[in-house]
Amino acid sequence: MNAELQFLTALQGLHTPARDAVMLFFTRLGNAGFVWIALAAILLLFRRTRRAGCILALALVCDLVLCNFILKPLVHRVRPCDLLPEVPLLIPHPSDYSFPSGHTAASFTAVAALWLAGKKRLAGTTLVLGVFIAFSRLYLCVHFPTDILGGAVLGIVLGAAASAIANYVANHKEKQRIV
């Protein structure tokens, strides 16, 4: 058994009804990027936070396309729960592939986008939430640790890319206004 499967098997020793409930709560927050989409929508409502909301929304769209429509089908990695059938699943079996973790990618996309948009305190809060969401995917045995790492790296890159795009557009608009 490889190191990742050994790690996930060892994590199964942490299960208690209370921990299961907590991990189910966090993983459900990350389902379909709901919490991050809701946060982007709220930020878009207020003038003071609209730029951050735009960056976050753009980053999440990029994440959806790259993670779910390109990388997962391309890498085609089976989930650890398929290799460890003795581990009872506490959630419905995910229908897509394992790499990268979409929950983690969306979470770290939000962290990076908010940090680079200047919302550092909010980014700190989203980091804590994102780490719990990512860990819940390991705890529930639906992702390998490298799926989580790949999702985190992808999310940071996409948050940075969305910020760079927003800065480019803002600078271009400013130059157009001056001319």
Side-chain angles (χ1 to χ4, degrees), residues 163-177:
S163 178
I165 291 167
N167 289 337
Y168 174 80
V169 169
N171 290 338
H172 184 72
K173 276 184 165 181
E174 184 62 27
K175 286 179 184 173
Q176 293 287 354
R177 193 179 62 79

Side-chain angles (χ1 to χ4, degrees), residues 19 24 29 42 59 81 99 111 118 130 148 152 167-168 172:
R19 284 191 195 112
L24 287 169
L29 272 180
I42 291 167
C81 55
F99 183 88
V111 171
I148 300 301
N167 289 337
Y168 174 80
H172 184 72

Side-chain angles (χ1 to χ4, degrees), residues 97-116:
Y97 295 108
S98 191
F99 183 88
S101 166
H103 282 69
T104 305
S107 298
F108 282 81
T109 295
V111 171
L114 293 169
W115 181 270
L116 294 169

Side-chain angles (χ1 to χ4, degrees), residues 61-78:
V61 169
C62 292
D63 169 60
L64 172 70
V65 171
L66 190 57
C67 182
N68 295 325
F69 298 138
I70 297 173
L71 288 175
K72 281 183 182 264
L74 183 67
V75 174
H76 203 84
R77 187 178 197 187
V78 299

Side-chain angles (χ1 to χ4, degrees), residues 8 14 17 20 27 29-30 36 52 55 57 60 78 92 113 120-122 134 147 166 170 172:
L8 292 171
L14 296 177
D20 290 354
T27 217
L29 272 180
W36 311 121
I55 293 170
L60 289 172
V78 299
K120 299 210 182 328
R121 264 198 308 178
L122 186 55
D147 299 337
H172 184 72

Side-chain angles (χ1 to χ4, degrees), residues 103-166:
H103 282 69
T104 305
S107 298
F108 282 81
T109 295
V111 171
L114 293 169
W115 181 270
L116 294 169
K119 301 299 180 192
K120 299 210 182 328
R121 264 198 308 178
L122 186 55
T125 303
T126 60
L127 176 61
V128 172
L129 181 55
V131 167
F132 276 106
I133 289 172
F135 182 77
S136 76
R137 306 304 284 171
L138 295 170
Y139 181 91
L140 296 170
C141 202
V142 292
H143 281 293
F144 291 99
T146 50
D147 299 337
I148 300 301
L149 179 62
V153 169
L154 178 65
I156 291 166
V157 168
L158 292 173
S163 178
I165 291 167

Side-chain angles (χ1 to χ4, degrees), residues 6-101:
Q6 287 177 336
F7 175 75
L8 292 171
T9 300
L11 272 183
Q12 300 314 301
L14 296 177
H15 282 263
T16 65
R19 284 191 195 112
D20 290 354
V22 169
M23 291 299 131
L24 287 169
F25 169 78
F26 283 113
T27 217
R28 288 178 182 138
L29 272 180
N31 285 351
F34 170 75
V35 69
W36 311 121
I37 294 167
L39 179 58
I42 291 167
L43 292 171
L44 287 167
L45 290 175
F46 304 99
R47 184 167 169 71
R48 212 175 94 237
T49 58
R50 194 163 292 141
R51 182 175 181 280
C54 286
I55 293 170
L56 178 53
L58 174 62
L60 289 172
V61 169
C62 292
D63 169 60
L64 172 70
V65 171
L66 190 57
C67 182
N68 295 325
F69 298 138
I70 297 173
L71 288 175
K72 281 183 182 264
L74 183 67
V75 174
H76 203 84
R77 187 178 197 187
V78 299
R79 291 186 178 269
C81 55
D82 295 327
L83 301 174
L84 298 170
E86 67 277 9
V87 174
L89 275 181
L90 301 178
I91 60 172
H93 190 285
S95 60
D96 60 352
Y97 295 108
S98 191
F99 183 88
S101 166

